Amino acid sequence: RMTLCIALLGLVAQVNAQELFVFQDAQLEAKDGKSAKIFIGVPVSVKKELGAKSKVAIHGFVDGLNVYSTANKELLIAKLSKGFKVTKKSGNEVELVGTIEKELLTDNAPEIWEEHEEFYYDMCSVCHAAPQVPHHSMLEWEALFTAMKGFAKLDDEEASYLLRYIKSNASNGLVKTEH
């Protein structure tokens, strides 16, 4: 009995460990050599371990060579190279499958966003209390951010960095939190 319990616990741990996140922008390589740029924080499902790489699947919604987290194109999660083959699900929902360096994956979503979160609070609490990021949707954040970006005097790179963080951690973002 004890061996069976330990084996089942190990199996449950393996299944739970299969949902990982991209720790930094990375390349997803298809079997045919085509690639897709995958952005920081994107969740992946691990299909198979391949030494230093993992075969993963990413779900999203395609529009041309761009893949978004939602059908409403609220957050860009991947850019496909020409010829990258996606698996169609329904409508414009797709699955991207390929290999990614294992070292670029983590199960610790909060760790991915530590520096971004610090930057958010540094920039957005100068004049007022910064709202809790999960309290707004990606669409609400887009409107708030557009209105506040000028006050914060952000350059394009800083704006992109901050917007990716708040959208990824929004109530309907990539990071699922309990609130």
Side-chain angles (χ1 to χ4, degrees), residues 15-148:
V15 169
N16 289 340
Q18 298 304 302
E19 175 83 349
L20 300 176
F21 298 88
V22 178
F23 194 72
Q24 65 188 51
D25 292 357
Q27 291 297 313
L28 181 71
E29 300 291 334
K31 265 195 245 179
D32 63 6
K34 301 289 183 188
S35 67
K37 179 180 181 179
I38 308 301
F39 293 98
I40 184 173
V42 172
V44 302
S45 299
V46 176
K47 300 283 191 191
K48 190 175 183 182
E49 298 295 341
L50 303 168
K53 294 186 178 196
S54 293
K55 182 178 180 180
V56 301
I58 297 166
H59 291 270
F61 297 83
V62 71
D63 181 20
L65 295 176
N66 292 330
V67 180
Y68 295 89
S69 63
T70 65
N72 297 332
K73 300 190 251 183
E74 292 172 301
L75 181 64
L76 183 64
I77 61 172
K79 280 188 171 278
L80 308 175
S81 64
K82 284 195 187 310
F84 189 98
K85 290 178 181 62
V86 297
T87 305
K88 293 275 187 188
K89 293 297 180 187
S90 65
N92 64 342
E93 187 177 359
V94 295
E95 179 181 63
L96 285 62
V97 176
T99 59
I100 193 168
E101 297 291 330
K102 206 180 283 185
E103 67 186 20
L104 299 177
L105 300 174
T106 182
D107 62 354
N108 187 346
E111 181 184 15
I112 294 170
W113 300 109
E114 281 174 355
E115 286 180 24
H116 292 75
E117 182 178 40
E118 191 176 311
F119 184 68
Y120 168 73
Y121 283 105
D122 285 350
M123 297 309 298
C124 301
S125 62
V126 172
C127 305
H128 58 80
Q132 293 294 309
V133 176
H135 289 183
H136 296 290
S137 70
M138 285 191 273
L139 189 60
E140 291 167 339
W141 271 120
E142 182 85 38
L144 288 167
F145 184 78
T146 301
M148 298 305 296

